[in-house]
Amino acid sequence: MWTWAYATRVPSHAFERLRRGWAALNGSRWLWTGLLVAALAAHAVLHLRAGWTLPVPWPDEVHFLMPAQSLAASGTLWVPGLHPERPLMWMPPGYATMMAAVFSITGPSLLVARGISMLAVWIAALALWRLAGSVAHRGLATIVAGLFLLHPAVVVIGNVARMDAVVLAMSLTAAACLDRRPVLAVGLLVLATLVHPNGAFFLVAAAVYILVGLRRGTLVLRPTRAELGVLVIAAVALCAYAMHAASHWPGLVQDMAFQVARKTDRDVWLSFTGRRMWMALALVAMLVWPQRRDGHARLLVVGLPAYLVQRLGHEMWYHPFDVLFTAVFAVAAVRMVVTVAPRLWTRARAATVLVVGAALSLLGLAIWPELPRHPHAAVWRHMRMADAPYVGPNELHSVAQTLSGRVQFLPRGDAAMFLGATQARFSIVDDVRHASNADMLVIHESSDHPRHWRRRTAEALALAQQEGRAQRIRTDPPSARWWRVHPLDADPLSTSSGRQQPNAK
């Protein structure tokens, strides 16, 4: 009742003063830039706090970084420890190529690879801030970019050696320059598609935007030499990948069939129901509003592909794309409210209060589950930020000194920690749908592992101890629990005993 009565008594120039004050804040570039820098610093603190426990070393990191190490060292993506006959073909080689370039400078390292993912998240957040700030209030853009940076799913994706953070960075950068540099945007999105097929969603959306813009005359293609250079690089990379795929066509068919089989077992269409579906429909419906339509279309180029990636892919690592979709929806919805409210205010002040209040309430209900409540206490697949480090400073070195021959690890992701630390005495083996024939199995017990990993590790270790094949490794510190199983029996890693299939991708 108080709000209703107040709204009917407020003079008309009060709204104008509010609008001018909001516009003045929008011009406070240093204020919003400082807040964004603070959000970047907070993300860095969370990244360091997550360490190697959120997430723990993951099998995907082994599958993606070992080809990069091989490419940097010997110029080939084929790693006999992953597959004895051919390179893995379930992903384009863009990420491996990028990491090979980094490893040629720094040497292979899981720490370096995860640092690259964090930098990619920073670039993605800056591009989101630039995109949102070009179509909406700079303060709103800063709030959305800051919440994006602090979301637990984004913290996790910035702390794992996968290509999702890189795809987010390239796709958002392309969207941010789409209105003025469409040729550059296309080149970046082609390269993003070669990093991960999810980039194709953003590429198709950008192509539609460019074609419509050229037809309406709102876009003009005047590429600079640098933009043409990026486009040429993307075209050459695409041709190189086509040749690579053609030379390993049977392997490509086999690996893609495996990926398709994994996804067909899931009820994908169920993902297109519920709150997110109505948010996506509302995002598309906002295009009919004539004011600021071009800016909203650029938001749609990012929001709709992000929505489809999570709904069609249905992978746990794709959650940040859903966070991006929510962020874009928030920007578009607030823009719509700000556009509608002044018109309603001049006609019915009380109705304006109701409309704005209802719109903001619906927006809050739509995005509230995605807000980061306590990022420092985030939980991801039963993993959390641990107070103690996953491994001690000398632990890996003391374990590596006891290994020889072809070594397989359990959990399998632990192999990623030994990249670059391997000597001539041992090599890493992590078979992908074929017999590994490793000479030794190394089992690592840790309370930081997910529950299903701890169960599989306990089963494998109990079987090895029962057969008298398990030997405790002396480590520094002595409290670490590493076991060497030699000779390696296939049973501890068989599917019947809980063998984990590759998680991708």
Side-chain angles (χ1 to χ4, degrees):
M1 293 297 296
W2 179 87
T3 304
W4 181 279
Y6 179 78
T8 57
R9 295 199 306 266
V10 173
S12 58
H13 58 78
F15 186 85
E16 180 63 22
R17 290 180 179 176
L18 181 62
R19 186 191 65 80
R20 291 179 180 178
W22 187 241
L25 282 176
N26 189 40
S28 302
R29 181 183 300 271
W30 291 110
L31 170 64
W32 304 122
T33 302
L35 290 177
L36 182 63
V37 171
L40 291 170
H43 178 90
V45 171
L46 292 174
H47 176 85
L48 295 175
R49 178 79 171 80
W52 282 1
T53 59
L54 192 71
V56 296
W58 209 259
D60 293 13
E61 298 179 291
V62 181
H63 299 153
F64 297 145
L65 294 184
M66 286 186 68
Q69 179 185 16
S70 176
L71 185 61
S74 56
T76 178
L77 292 167
W78 175 47
V79 181
L82 296 180
H83 199 288
E85 300 175 355
R86 58 173 176 82
L88 299 181
M89 298 297 295
W90 53 29
M91 278 290 128
Y95 180 75
T97 303
M98 181 190 74
M99 292 310 306
V102 175
F103 287 167
S104 63
I105 301 173
T106 65
S109 167
L110 177 62
L111 184 64
V112 170
R114 289 192 169 190
I116 293 296
S117 294
M118 186 195 72
L119 292 178
V121 166
W122 282 16
I123 295 173
L126 290 172
L128 176 61
W129 180 65
R130 175 67 179 85
L131 173 65
S134 66
V135 301
H137 193 279
R138 188 174 286 114
L140 175 63
T142 305
I143 293 172
V144 168
L147 292 177
F148 176 81
L149 275 168
L150 299 180
H151 194 283
V154 178
V155 173
V156 168
I157 208 65
N159 194 38
V160 65
R162 280 182 52 93
M163 60 284 295
D164 307 282
V166 178
V167 171
L168 280 171
M170 299 178 75
S171 301
L172 282 166
T173 301
C177 64
L178 189 58
D179 58 332
R180 297 183 179 181
R181 299 285 183 265
V183 175
L184 176 60
V186 170
L188 288 175
L189 290 174
V190 171
L191 292 174
T193 303
L194 296 177
V195 172
H196 195 289
N198 284 337
F201 290 97
F202 298 90
L203 177 60
V204 172
V208 172
Y209 177 89
I210 292 173
L211 291 176
V212 173
L214 291 176
R215 184 175 180 180
R216 294 175 55 194
T218 57
L219 279 181
V220 179
L221 298 182
R222 294 177 180 173
T224 63
R225 291 183 178 180
E227 294 177 60
L228 291 176
V230 172
L231 190 61
V232 169
I233 292 174
V236 171
L238 187 61
C239 293
Y241 175 61
M243 296 173 60
H244 175 68
S247 61
H248 300 283
W249 185 255
L252 177 67
V253 173
Q254 181 182 357
D255 287 352
M256 289 298 104
F258 167 75
Q259 294 284 47
V260 172
R262 291 177 64 249
K263 297 183 185 298
T264 52
D265 291 338
R266 304 167 183 173
D267 192 357
V268 175
W269 296 112
L270 187 62
S271 301
F272 286 90
T273 60
R275 179 176 60 236
R276 289 292 184 270
M277 181 192 69
W278 295 110
M279 291 169 62
L281 292 176
L283 194 62
V284 175
M286 291 179 196
L287 277 178
V288 303
W289 197 261
Q291 287 192 350
R292 304 178 183 179
R293 178 178 294 171
D294 291 337
H296 181 77
R298 271 187 290 146
L299 292 176
L300 192 64
V301 167
V302 173
L304 194 57
Y307 171 80
L308 293 176
V309 164
Q310 172 64 7
R311 295 307 167 287
L312 294 176
H314 218 271
E315 297 283 355
M316 68 180 192
W317 301 109
Y318 298 169
H319 189 193
F321 290 92
D322 201 41
V323 178
L324 174 60
F325 165 73
T326 303
V328 170
F329 175 81
V331 173
V334 172
R335 287 181 72 250
M336 178 62 68
V337 171
V338 171
T339 302
V340 173
R343 297 184 180 183
L344 291 178
W345 186 270
T346 58
R347 298 180 182 179
R349 298 171 188 172
T352 301
V353 173
L354 291 178
V355 170
V356 173
L360 294 178
S361 298
L362 290 174
L363 179 62
L365 290 174
I367 70 175
W368 174 252
E370 299 300 332
L371 291 179
R373 297 164 185 161
H374 302 289
H376 65 279
V379 177
W380 181 262
R381 298 280 168 163
H382 307 290
M383 294 174 285
R384 62 181 67 247
M385 298 180 185
D387 295 329
Y390 182 67
V391 293
N394 301 319
E395 189 172 331
L396 297 180
H397 179 73
S398 60
V399 171
Q401 293 300 312
T402 68
L403 305 182
S404 62
R406 294 162 50 83
V407 180
Q408 191 163 13
F409 290 84
L410 187 68
R412 301 169 72 188
D414 277 12
M417 297 187 296
F418 291 88
L419 293 175
T422 58
Q423 303 173 1
R425 296 181 56 190
F426 80 97
S427 61
I428 296 173
V429 175
D430 188 34
D431 59 294
V432 179
R433 299 191 307 280
H434 68 85
S436 62
N437 298 320
D439 302 316
M440 184 184 301
L441 171 66
V442 175
I443 298 178
H444 179 205
E445 294 182 283
S446 174
S447 60
D448 295 320
H449 293 152
R451 288 181 297 185
H452 61 289
W453 281 20
R454 293 199 299 268
R455 183 178 66 252
R456 293 168 181 168
T457 300
E459 291 174 356
L461 180 59
L463 178 60
Q465 289 176 331
Q466 182 180 0
E467 298 176 352
R469 299 184 293 111
Q471 179 183 2
R472 180 80 176 268
I473 299 177
R474 295 182 180 180
T475 59
D476 181 14
S479 58
R481 297 182 62 84
W482 293 79
W483 301 81
R484 185 173 62 248
V485 180
H486 184 83
L488 176 62
D489 194 324
D491 290 338
L493 289 179
S494 66
T495 304
S496 61
S497 64
R499 163 73 182 274
Q500 176 181 336
Q501 291 294 335
N503 178 43
K505 289 304 184 209

